[in-house]
Amino acid sequence: MSESPCLFCSVVRGEISATIVAETPECIAFRDINPQAPVHVLIIPREHIGSLNDATDAMTIGRLSLLAVEIARKEGIAESGYRTVINTNAAAGQTVFHVHLHLLGGRTLHWPPG
Ligand code: AMP
Ligand code: ZN
């Protein structure tokens, strides 16, 4: 689905600018345009997957979490703490339908998230 009008596929193709913080053969991580914490990074597979409901490959999904740990270490929040979140569909507030993992940290995060 590389020809889809998906916003995050456009980031993958370099058609829209993003502040990229990590790249691997399978994933890209970039800063959220509307950060909700001092560190707010989105980690996505290069492959278009609409939501977690559409995911079938454990490696693809697992890589998102492991890349989040790497970035958390680089950003200096691994020890203080951070949160990883995948919003799925309307009730969770998913707005971009290319699966992405939010990495949030650098401040105290409250629970439940609301
Ligand atoms: P979600 O609500 O879980 O679908 O998250 C989508 C996220 O994408 C939101 O936190 C937005 O601020 C973020 N976002 C939307 N457009 C861009 C963009 N062009 N670059 C970086 N982040 C974006
Ligand atoms: Zn996409």
Side-chain angles (χ1 to χ4, degrees):
M1 286 187 65
S2 63
E3 298 308 313
S4 77
C6 169
L7 181 67
F8 288 173
C9 281
S10 299
V11 172
V12 170
R13 291 194 294 261
E15 291 167 2
I16 66 165
S17 67
T19 305
I20 292 173
V21 298
E23 288 195 78
T24 71
E26 299 89 4
C27 303
I28 296 189
F30 51 96
R31 298 203 189 275
D32 196 291
I33 204 167
N34 182 23
Q36 301 302 308
V39 175
H40 188 173
V41 171
L42 302 175
I43 302 161
I44 69 172
R46 290 179 188 273
E47 175 194 355
H48 180 87
I49 299 167
S51 84
L52 193 55
N53 285 343
D54 302 310
T56 54
D57 180 46
M59 290 289 282
T60 302
I61 296 306
R63 280 186 194 105
L64 302 179
S65 290
L66 292 182
L67 187 53
V69 178
E70 239 177 76
I71 296 166
R73 290 198 176 111
K74 267 195 234 160
E75 298 279 329
I77 58 169
E79 297 310 318
S80 58
Y82 59 89
R83 185 170 293 159
T84 56
V85 175
I86 298 177
N87 295 321
T88 302
N89 280 350
Q94 184 177 5
T95 58
V96 178
F97 287 84
H98 180 130
V99 73
H100 51 281
L101 182 143
H102 295 257
L103 167 65
L104 296 142
R107 66 169 172 83
T108 299
L109 301 164
H110 302 288
W111 193 263

